[in-house]
Amino acid sequence: MKPSLALSVMAMVMLIGCQASSAAEPAVLIKVDKAIKQQIERFVIDIVGGTQVSLADNVLTEQSELFIEQRMPLDAQGRPLDGRHSLPSYRFTLVKVQGHCVLQHPGSGKSVQLTNTTCRAVTSNH
């Protein structure tokens, strides 16, 4: 193999290795305190358009995905329109990237790094 070709192959292998090691892995939080829950709530509220949300005290500790159902459309008197709605839920995913816990909203491409917390990678959501 020519030296320039060997050097190119080595550079490509190193680049692929670096990309693989920084890949996002599904994750769950180790512990949730009030500050972490508030960070998650602020991000979710930003995505859902200012609507208040209620999160469980153990949010994202058992599964890496969080689903927030859209509020049912109401009429002027506050009654549900058409009974049920078929609006899709908002989906959020927690991933671990280079040791950081990052909450993502795939639908918008937005994400936030959660601070002062730890998470662990999980192999599946089951």
Side-chain angles (χ1 to χ4, degrees), residues 63-97:
Q63 293 185 343
S64 64
E65 293 181 316
L66 170 65
F67 293 91
I68 302 293
E69 186 173 317
Q70 291 192 39
R71 292 197 187 263
M72 185 176 295
L74 305 174
D75 66 13
Q77 288 76 35
R79 295 179 300 224
L81 291 174
D82 300 326
R84 302 178 87 173
H85 69 79
S86 60
L87 301 171
S89 297
Y90 293 98
R91 179 178 162 260
F92 298 85
T93 57
L94 182 69
V95 294
K96 188 170 186 172
V97 181

Side-chain angles (χ1 to χ4, degrees), residues 24-37:
E25 301 174 277
V28 294
L29 295 172
I30 303 297
K31 179 179 143 186
V32 176
D33 61 20
K34 185 176 180 179
I36 299 305
K37 193 172 170 183

Side-chain angles (χ1 to χ4, degrees), residues 22-27 94-102 118-121:
S22 67
E25 301 174 277
L94 182 69
V95 294
K96 188 170 186 172
V97 181
Q98 296 179 343
H100 300 284
C101 306
V102 178
T118 54
C119 57
R120 65 177 174 79

